[in-house]
Amino acid sequence: MIKAGIIGATGYAGQELVRLLLAHKEVEIAWYGSRSYVDRKFASVFGNFVKLVDDVCKGDDLEKLADEVDVIFTATPQGYLQGILTESVLEKAKVVDLSADYRIKDVATYEKWYGIEHKSPKLIEEAVYGLCELNREEIKKARLVANPGCYPTCSTFSIAPLAKRGWIDTDTLVIDAKSGTSGAGRGAKVQNLYCEVNENIKAYAVATHRHTPEIEQTLSGISGKNVMLNFTPHLIPMNRGILITAYANVVGSHSEKELKDAYYEDYKDEYFVRVLDGATPPETKWVEGSNFTDVNIKYDERTNRVIMMGAMDNITKGAAGQAVQNMNLMFGFDEAEGLRLVPMVP
């Protein structure tokens, strides 16, 4: 049994970590960190935890927390962890960071897209990008894991098998993405009010979304060449879920069966990636509340383009579920422990 602490426990990803870790047979939550709710009962912030969690929220003293736990999850805004993480903390506890602070390997790229100076660039080299299905062996040895973003996770699973084989022209790659409103976090923002979101769909951060360089970095590593793409996210009026529809020209002569077989081959041993049968398109409702990502493709011979599709829960596999999966690898637990969740329907 190990002890875990969560900084940012009262955000959406933080409370999802609590939900998952309470069902984990190898973990005890010892610290519910929240700057906004210090000394307030956690269950008074999220009523779904009444009679399940009696603890009060503590602060965000990372050094003190590292003395008390084995693993720290930081579900915090960009810039928080990179400003306070020290070698002393990493000597005492392993860290899984759910922000983007250590995802981007090029400091200049991070600073350009996020608009802040990186205060601990030396730790970027050490940090392992926590896409478990891609970097499993490196994660097992890591002290610091950069938990991937939600859009990059779903985009990567949808595209990777064809990018890896060079069967798509990545110069023609376009990603159309849609997300539920929980992806914007729990903070009060006018654009996320009910009357702004309900009965509406809108693109946002067009050509400027911060997940763009993360997707490009990951696909560049997979394909072995520099990838630059168009990524356009949209906000849709639902709580949870991400839907990715990506398009690219096919390189060479490949049948739809051959393209699809690449997905079966790459994901045959991956419990959390489900390749759907036939022409069934992924749907967010079939993955809600779970750590699964559903993927499928359709080859349009008329235009010689392949349509690559993926669906995922942005809070679970896109944040907290993936963080727990990373923790499982880091401590040698069953990778799926605490994550065998049947998707919620309806």
Side-chain angles (χ1 to χ4, degrees):
M1 180 75 71
I2 65 169
K3 291 186 177 181
I6 304 167
I7 299 295
T10 53
Y12 288 139
Q15 70 83 31
E16 183 82 342
L17 276 166
V18 174
R19 182 176 79 93
L20 299 175
L21 292 175
L22 286 178
H24 198 295
K25 67 181 182 182
E26 304 286 357
V27 179
E28 172 192 347
I29 304 175
W31 187 294
Y32 296 79
S34 174
R35 183 179 293 176
S36 302
Y37 297 97
V38 175
D39 295 330
R40 182 170 165 181
K41 289 190 70 172
F42 180 78
S44 73
V45 182
F46 285 99
N48 50 325
F49 292 103
V50 170
K51 285 196 173 183
L52 297 173
V53 177
D54 292 325
D55 300 65
V56 298
C57 295
K58 301 179 182 179
D60 57 357
D61 187 331
L62 200 64
E63 290 283 350
K64 183 178 179 182
L65 172 56
D67 288 328
E68 299 185 18
V69 301
D70 303 290
V71 61
I72 299 170
F73 296 95
T74 48
T76 50
Q78 327 303 336
Y80 170 84
L81 185 62
Q82 48 111 331
I84 63 171
L85 184 60
T86 64
E87 179 64 27
S88 172
V89 169
L90 290 171
E91 286 175 354
K92 293 181 285 189
K94 298 183 179 183
V95 175
V96 180
D97 180 33
L98 278 70
S99 82
D101 280 357
Y102 297 101
R103 295 174 191 162
I104 307 299
K105 291 301 183 182
D106 182 74
V107 178
T109 299
Y110 173 88
E111 293 180 344
K112 173 186 175 182
W113 285 83
Y114 285 87
I116 54 178
E117 179 186 357
H118 203 292
K119 295 182 174 62
S120 53
K122 289 184 179 179
L123 289 175
I124 293 177
E125 275 185 49
E126 176 179 347
V128 174
Y129 187 64
L131 193 60
C132 302
E133 291 76 5
L134 188 68
N135 295 325
R136 185 170 281 116
E137 296 308 312
E138 291 84 357
I139 293 165
K140 290 178 181 178
K141 298 175 285 187
R143 296 188 305 170
L144 172 61
V145 165
N147 209 60
C150 51
Y151 283 130
T153 296
C154 199
S155 296
T156 298
F157 288 143
S158 302
I159 299 165
L162 302 185
K164 181 176 82 172
R165 290 167 173 78
W167 290 358
I168 55 172
D169 180 358
T170 53
D171 288 340
T172 67
L173 185 57
V174 174
I175 301 175
D176 179 287
K178 298 175 177 66
S179 175
T181 58
S182 60
R186 198 166 183 246
K189 302 169 187 173
V190 171
Q191 64 266 34
N192 295 332
L193 293 173
Y194 178 81
C195 289
E196 303 294 326
V197 174
N198 187 49
E199 298 295 334
N200 189 27
I201 182 170
K202 57 186 176 183
Y204 67 98
V206 178
T208 62
H209 195 281
R210 294 169 169 181
H211 283 176
T212 303
E214 185 181 341
I215 297 170
E216 291 178 342
Q217 173 181 273
T218 305
L219 291 177
S220 293
I222 289 170
S223 65
K225 61 182 181 179
N226 186 50
V227 173
M228 185 178 293
L229 51 82
N230 285 117
F231 170 71
T232 306
H234 300 75
L235 190 68
I236 53 179
M238 67 182 192
N239 294 334
R240 305 163 74 123
I242 279 181
L243 185 71
I244 295 293
T245 312
Y247 309 83
N249 290 346
V250 174
V251 175
S253 179
H254 303 283
S255 66
E256 183 168 280
K257 181 182 183 304
E258 189 176 7
L259 297 173
K260 183 71 171 287
D261 283 347
Y263 287 76
Y264 286 128
E265 175 63 26
D266 284 6
Y267 297 135
K268 65 179 185 298
D269 297 321
E270 297 298 347
Y271 180 75
F272 291 118
V273 183
R274 307 189 299 192
V275 182
L276 302 183
D277 291 334
T280 305
E283 299 182 43
T284 57
K285 73 175 181 179
W286 300 130
V287 293
E288 186 174 353
S290 80
N291 205 50
F292 291 113
T293 303
D294 288 354
V295 297
N296 209 342
I297 62 118
K298 178 67 179 177
Y299 177 42
D300 183 358
E301 294 185 16
R302 186 179 65 88
T303 60
N304 192 41
R305 294 179 70 81
V306 61
I307 299 99
M308 299 158 282
M309 300 165 283
M312 185 187 78
D313 188 310
N314 58 293
I315 304 179
T316 315
K317 181 59 171 172
Q322 186 143 249
V324 172
Q325 192 178 349
N326 275 306
M327 178 202 70
N328 286 339
L329 288 171
M330 295 167 82
F331 285 90
F333 302 145
D334 176 352
E335 189 174 332
E337 173 58 37
L339 298 171
R340 293 183 178 88
L341 307 168
V342 177
M344 301 181 297
V345 177

